[in-house]
Amino acid sequence: MSPISQETADVNAAIDAELQLLDPNVRASRSLAARLLDPEFVEVGASGRRWTYDEMLAALPELEGGGDESGGGPRFETSGMGGVLLAPGIVHLTYETVIDGRRARRSSLWRRRDGETAWRMYYHQGTPVPAGD
């Protein structure tokens, strides 16, 4: 069995980080989430709202998908997550989520800056899927 390629390792690392950002424990912790978001982070959410790094870190514990304090509440269900290495240090992920019966197609750009080992989400976009699609 041969070792995995660097490209596969980079994509897998970005997928792992994306899944961490969907974890209620990470969403509830500003310090944990801050390690996963790039300081230049921008999101265009499924609602159409534009979020910056600071806005997202402040709002993330209260946003839908993180469950609630008792560990219940709606959480994101993901499917079809995959990615490609666009260039050294840049991974593009795509997948779908369902929460409370609403589907969204999602796209994230992850980057790892020169000299760093951690991947951080640089850009994210969620697009609602029309009913019946």
Side-chain angles (χ1 to χ4, degrees):
M1 186 159 106
S2 64
I4 63 171
S5 71
Q6 185 60 51
E7 179 174 347
T8 300
D10 289 346
V11 169
N12 287 343
I15 288 172
D16 289 344
E18 183 91 34
L19 293 172
Q20 287 177 51
L21 273 174
L22 295 173
D23 182 299
N25 293 321
V26 173
R27 296 170 76 82
S29 168
R30 184 179 179 101
S31 64
L32 291 176
R35 286 190 279 164
L36 294 167
L37 295 180
D38 191 278
E40 296 176 7
F41 170 81
V42 172
E43 175 174 331
V44 177
S47 66
R49 178 176 174 175
R50 183 181 182 277
W51 300 83
T52 65
Y53 174 83
D54 290 326
E55 291 168 337
M56 182 56 70
L57 287 178
L60 196 57
E62 305 301 320
L63 289 177
E64 168 177 77
D68 60 26
E69 293 172 6
S70 67
R75 292 181 60 176
F76 287 106
E77 297 173 35
T78 63
S79 63
M81 191 175 291
V84 296
L85 183 70
L86 297 178
I90 303 288
V91 170
H92 179 220
L93 299 181
T94 57
Y95 61 103
E96 287 193 12
T97 58
V98 176
I99 187 163
D100 278 345
R102 295 182 320 275
R103 289 176 49 213
R105 292 189 177 106
R106 299 191 176 270
S107 176
S108 299
L109 290 176
W110 287 81
R111 81 175 169 183
R112 184 181 62 211
R113 293 180 184 223
D114 288 341
E116 294 184 2
T117 58
W119 287 90
R120 292 177 174 229
M121 184 184 282
Y122 175 74
Y123 179 80
H124 183 80
Q125 182 164 350
T127 305
V129 176
D133 187 5

